[in-house]
Amino acid sequence: MGTYALPDASGHYGPYGGRFVAETLIPALEELEHAYQEAQRDPEFRAELHSELRQFVGRPNPLYHAERVSKELGGAQIYLKREDLNHTGAHKINNAVGQALLARRMGKKRVIAETGAGQHGVATATVATRYGMECLVYMGEEDIQRQSSNVFRMRLLGARVTAVSSGTRTLKDALNEAMRDWVTNVESTFYVIGTVAGPHPYPVMVRDFHRVIGDEARVQCLELTGRLPDCLIACVGGGSNAIGLFYPFIEDKAVRMIGVEAGGLGLSTGQHAAPLTTGRPGVLHGNRTYLMEDEDGQILPTHSISAGLDYPGVGPEHAYLKDSGRAEYVAATDAEALAAFHRLCRTEGIIPALETAHALAHAFRLAPTMRSDQTIIVNLSGRGDKDIHTVAALEGIHL
Amino acid sequence: MSRLAGLFAQLQNAGRAALIPFMTAGDPSLAATVPLMHALVAAGADAIELGMPFSDPMADGPSIQRASERALARGVKLRMVLEWVREFRMTNSHTPIILMGYLNPVEAMGITPFAEAAATAGVDGVILVDLTPEEGRGEAVALQQRGIDPIFLLAPTSGQERVVIVRSMGSGFVYYVSLRGITGAAQADWAAVLQRVQDLRQQLGLPVAIGFGIRDAATVAQVAGGADAVVVGSALVDQLAECATDQEAVATAIRFIKPLAQAVRTAERRSA
Ligand SMILES: Cc1ncc(COP(=O)(O)O)c(C=O)c1O
């Protein structure tokens, strides 16, 4: 890559990022940073990660030409980067494998994680079992309700799931609780953060573990179409699947990058989870970034049909990419995401996660405005099996 | 001399540690806040840590989390907290007030407007739990320029290089977190804590307060001899949470604080 070299040595992306945590955790973050830098330089670690991604995760996954839906829309060709075909059904496993290998290398026997939709919790439970580590997952009470099948999966995999009843009882509160656990058990425990947020070095480390998405997509797109894509689209909760796709294309200035936040019931209702589109910079969960907050700096409750996007903050690199204009951020509402969910089911025979459906919704809006020789890559971040109860309930069907 | 410097100089002469209770502003009620602050002083508190509620108190245990949630539900805003300090100052000009909270509400107001308003209200020190000295240079300067001490924390995990940074940037005192954990957790090994605090007092050249895990007079008595100040938070917050009326809260605070104040006054003094 060319000139883009963020974060800086102290973990800042311009004014964003950094390390805003209780003093007790600072030495642990420094230890993690050093261990990560060392691991990155170690060919053995890189080889092991590569092998795990092939043998256990099932990479590379396809870049699939969604011909029927592209034709139906009558514009750009839509390609889907099939992260849903990874083991455990979402992109989250790329990062979970990376962090778990690092935890093992650091001699940590216990891993903890926060989860919203449960995909990151399932991924962490999976790798913890695989590497013989104890696993505890924090999950908001509300999310436990709406993602019950993932809760059961985590338990099947031998993890303990702890319900978080503080605050808004969703992802942000699960993150608070995981941080409290980490502060308490910092010597024995590795905190596997599930997105590109948190204190340095998490945002850069998680990005690096997910860049395989964009690296593969770049090669596959050149193979399939003979040129780079015109546009990349991904949903943004904390922003990990989006940065994983975007990062390898940052220097390719002609490639548009669009992140799609959860528009909930509509941006004007305040019932959404779109900090980049509507929020302002502040400090939460260890980094400075765009937040949904009131005028007094209190974090606002969020709403999204998808638990994985129901988060009031976003990774600091996205805040930087927004300000610099390199990436654009838009929102798709619950209703638009649902319509896109159904459309993909019916046209391509793929049931996407509701998180992913937000990215699809925007792709379906944009494609008809583009020429048929142009291409859009959508990060199909996860499969929708976990969401069928939610979708059925909306149709008055109790499964 | 600042109120905090004056307090520590005076207690140095008296040969004892300061007792600093923590209470969350706006809990157990809005109207009780200022009367409670006066009650703490009447019962023997030497300074007060006043919690600025935040929606996501990452470093706090259940007691202070719930107190913050209750306070926010009652509509507490940072400006109200400052207004309460101003009101307290109308009849108390000597007891140091330290605001304790998280960075985001302060940043939302803007550090300069906050520092000015806090100085005008009569605030003496500010602790922002999630603001380390590395990230907080600008904030520390803005506070110090207006006569407010930026108070940083050190923890059992902090190495020597952290001590050096805190010494170069902090003032007023340094808050030593007694344990790996959150507020309200239990500390077992006080001997190790006192040993570390002994070292820190020499290395820092600043008074050192011990906080986290101190719940009763017996523990206060045990640690007060080896520190410049003792902070008691969750235990008081728990007591106040039980109170049905403001009068009951004031009476409870006095009843709870008195033996602790007694304990700092009778604790055996270790060498400074
Ligand atoms: C399938 C899927 N996509 C996207 C997300 C959102 O996370 P991020 O923005 O970090 O990719 C989640 C989170 O749970 C998810 O499960």
Side-chain angles (χ1 to χ4, degrees), chain B residues 89-153:
Chain B
R89 278 275 169 264
M90 295 198 301
T91 50
N92 181 320
S93 58
H94 69 280
T95 305
I97 301 292
I98 301 126
L99 297 183
M100 182 160 185
Y102 294 79
L103 176 58
N104 201 53
V106 168
E107 193 161 300
M109 183 183 280
I111 183 63
T112 304
F114 169 78
E116 266 160 21
T120 308
V123 169
D124 301 286
V126 172
I127 306 174
L128 296 170
V129 181
D130 55 352
L131 187 65
T132 60
E134 287 91 335
E135 295 282 0
R137 285 180 199 282
E139 285 81 355
V141 170
L143 291 169
Q144 272 163 340
Q145 279 173 348
R146 288 157 188 89
I148 297 174
D149 289 312
I151 291 157
F152 291 104
L153 297 96

Side-chain angles (χ1 to χ4, degrees), chain A residues 46-128:
Chain A
R46 292 207 306 268
E48 188 171 20
L49 179 60
H50 184 73
S51 159
E52 285 295 280
L53 291 178
R54 280 184 74 90
Q55 303 301 327
F56 190 60
V57 175
R59 305 203 72 96
N61 56 42
L63 182 68
Y64 164 77
H65 186 189
E67 276 179 273
R68 284 199 72 211
V69 78
S70 302
K71 199 162 182 192
E72 198 177 278
L73 292 161
Q77 301 306 309
I78 295 176
Y79 286 78
L80 305 176
K81 181 58 180 156
R82 298 293 305 274
E83 294 298 308
D84 61 317
L85 295 179
N86 293 339
H87 179 41
T88 70
H91 70 290
K92 298 283 179 188
I93 189 92
N94 303 325
N95 168 53
V97 164
Q99 289 197 47
L101 286 176
L102 191 58
R104 192 173 68 175
R105 189 183 163 95
M106 292 172 75
K108 308 282 181 182
K109 300 266 186 289
R110 177 177 181 266
V111 297
I112 57 171
E114 85 294 339
T115 198
Q119 288 302 116
H120 174 60
V122 167
T124 306
T126 299
V127 294

